[in-house]
Amino acid sequence: METEMDTAELGEKIVKVLKGIYDPEIPVDIYELGLIYDVMVNTDNEVKILMTLTSPNCPVAESLPKEVEEKITNIDGVRSAEVEITFDPPWSKDLMSEEAKLELGML
C-alpha cells in the first residue's frame, strides 16, 4: 500500500512539473494544452510520458520532449524518465482544458 502512495505522490509531482513547461508559441502549459496523453510511474519509480505536439511540423519537436524528459528526470525520487511522442490521436483544441481555453479567449 505504501508503494502505491509513493507512485501516486510522485505522479502528482510530475504533473506539477509538467504544468511549469510551456509551449513557446502558445502561452499555456503543455499539460493544460492537452499535449500530455499519459503519465505512467511504475513501482521502481521509472516514468514514461506519452505526449503529442500541436503538429508533426512543430518547431519544438526536437527540444520540447527533451525538456520534458530532463525536468522529469530531475524530480527527487524519479529513477528514469522516457518521453514517447505519438500523433494518435492527433492533437486538437478539444484536448485543451477549460482553463487553457479560457486563457486563450476561446470560451
Side-chain angles (χ1 to χ4, degrees):
M1 191 71 166
E2 190 176 308
T3 303
E4 284 180 31
M5 287 298 286
D6 289 343
T7 56
E9 191 177 312
L10 190 53
E12 289 173 19
K13 286 181 183 178
I14 291 166
V15 168
K16 188 175 180 181
V17 167
L18 292 171
K19 286 184 173 191
I21 301 172
Y22 286 78
D23 184 299
E25 296 182 320
I26 306 169
V28 175
D29 70 77
I30 63 172
Y31 191 83
E32 298 297 337
L33 201 53
L35 297 181
I36 304 300
Y37 286 169
D38 202 358
V39 175
M40 297 159 272
V41 182
N42 70 17
T43 54
D44 292 328
N45 290 351
E46 297 166 333
V47 178
K48 183 171 183 180
I49 308 281
L50 182 62
M51 69 176 287
T52 193
L53 301 168
T54 52
S55 80
N57 300 326
C58 180
V60 292
E62 292 288 321
S63 62
L64 191 59
K66 286 178 186 169
E67 179 183 356
V68 169
E69 194 170 291
E70 286 171 10
K71 288 190 175 177
I72 299 306
T73 301
N74 288 331
I75 296 173
D76 244 6
V78 170
R79 179 171 288 165
S80 65
E82 176 190 347
V83 174
E84 182 182 331
I85 299 293
T86 184
F87 291 101
D88 185 29
W91 180 84
S92 74
K93 293 175 184 172
D94 296 337
L95 296 171
M96 293 169 56
S97 70
E98 296 295 313
E99 182 181 316
K101 289 177 184 175
L102 187 62
E103 181 76 26
L104 296 172
M106 300 173 85
L107 285 180

